[in-house]
Amino acid sequence: MSLNMSKERRMLVETLKIEGIIRSDLVEESFLSIPREYFVPEHLRVYAYSDTPLPIGYGQTISAPHMVAIMTEELRVKPGNIVLEIGTGSGYQAAILAHIVSKKSGGHVYTVERIPQLAKRAVINIANARPDLLDFITVVVGDGSKGIELFQPYDRIIVTAAAPQIPEPLIQQLKPGGIMVIPVGNKWEQILQVVIKNERGYISIKDSIACVFVPLIGQYGWRNEYDYT
Ligand code: SAM
């Protein structure tokens, strides 16, 4: 498969910069280096650089580029960070993060997805788009609302599904000095919250923007799609 949508990609990045959404060189560089067209279903590739979420199957979505940019900027992810992502979906956000963390040794992205078919597809997407990043991304199938004990603590945690409240295990698994971004709210609307754990372990929470995500389903999320009110 050979695709070249680099012109469309550059135009989207320029727009997101003009809108003040992409603010840092690291996020700009990462957006320019990850081809979103490899993370959307083939019949939707023409829309890969529309600033909109797209369906990826199983009732799930790849988030809109502006939302990926906002979350990545709020996360203030640095080269060498250990990152946990909850909600792998297409693998696009994981690749954006991996490009940044891989710039310094020790950096890694652990990403967890509850739907096995999506997790498998995400690995294929990353392999097609940026095979060099496979060394820096571990895709796990499971309930990410519990975090992943095995690889904790994390410098950064990003939740890309809507939670009814901040799951306690994720707070526990965040390093002192760490940052988590998570959409919290009901079915119709959530607030993207930025959770900061200071060096002494105290938590402060800042509200970022209003957003709409698919539900986080699991022990510390919603029980199922119908529980999501
Ligand atoms: N970050 C993704 C991307 O770049 O394509 C988009 C994520 S999509 C908006 C939300 C994903 O969260 C869905 O794939 C959904 O299956 C997953 N999800 C929901 N609850 C989950 C849970 N408890 N653990 C892991 N994944 C979960």
Side-chain angles (χ1 to χ4, degrees):
M1 176 175 49
S2 158
L3 295 169
N4 191 352
M5 298 182 79
S6 54
K7 195 170 149 212
E8 290 87 343
R9 194 175 321 129
R10 273 201 308 277
M11 280 173 63
L12 174 68
V13 168
E14 279 314 309
T15 305
L16 293 173
K17 281 174 68 183
I18 289 165
E19 291 171 346
I21 291 171
I22 290 183
R23 301 190 303 266
S24 66
D25 292 347
L26 274 176
V27 175
E28 174 180 353
E29 186 197 299
S30 189
F31 263 69
L32 285 173
S33 80
I34 307 293
R36 190 172 185 256
E37 60 271 31
Y38 286 87
F39 294 85
V40 304
E42 221 166 316
H43 67 285
L44 296 175
R45 283 211 171 120
V46 61
Y47 303 113
Y49 292 98
S50 304
D51 192 6
T52 176
L54 292 169
I56 55 171
Y58 307 92
Q60 308 303 321
T61 53
I62 176 174
S63 302
H66 72 269
M67 188 52 63
V68 176
I70 289 169
M71 293 180 89
T72 310
E73 291 283 9
E74 290 282 20
L75 200 61
R76 284 182 264 156
V77 60
K78 296 195 185 102
N81 276 173
I82 304 286
V83 180
L84 174 65
E85 181 194 25
I86 319 298
T88 313
S90 68
Y92 178 69
Q93 173 78 74
I96 289 280
L97 295 167
H99 179 85
I100 297 174
V101 303
S102 68
K103 289 171 147 301
K104 191 172 163 191
S105 71
H108 201 87
V109 176
Y110 296 95
T111 178
V112 52
E113 172 56 53
R114 64 180 275 271
I115 300 173
Q117 295 90 332
L118 286 181
K120 195 170 163 197
R121 168 53 53 189
V123 175
I124 295 169
N125 291 343
I126 296 162
N128 286 333
R130 281 284 304 272
D132 58 306
L133 292 181
L134 286 173
D135 286 347
F136 301 94
I137 302 174
T138 302
V139 181
V140 175
V141 175
D143 174 9
S145 75
K146 299 188 280 192
I148 310 180
E149 272 282 335
L150 187 61
F151 307 114
Q152 59 111 11
Y154 303 100
D155 297 296
R156 300 288 186 267
I157 298 179
I158 176 169
V159 182
T160 62
Q165 67 274 311
I166 302 169
E168 188 55 37
L170 300 187
I171 294 177
Q172 298 300 333
Q173 292 175 22
L174 188 62
K175 253 187 207 170
I179 300 174
M180 163 163 49
V181 294
I182 175 167
V184 179
N186 59 35
K187 180 177 188 165
W188 295 280
E189 189 178 63
Q190 302 98 38
I191 300 292
L192 185 67
Q193 297 197 319
V194 182
V195 180
I196 298 172
K197 190 185 249 190
N198 75 12
E199 293 297 344
R200 296 167 66 194
Y202 290 108
I203 296 293
S204 60
I205 298 173
K206 182 192 95 175
D207 286 349
S208 178
I209 49 143
C211 51
V212 184
F213 277 83
V214 295
L216 177 76
I217 294 173
Q219 188 176 337
Y220 294 87
W222 303 93
R223 267 175 301 168
N224 51 53
E225 279 88 353
Y226 312 104
D227 175 43
Y228 183 43
T229 52

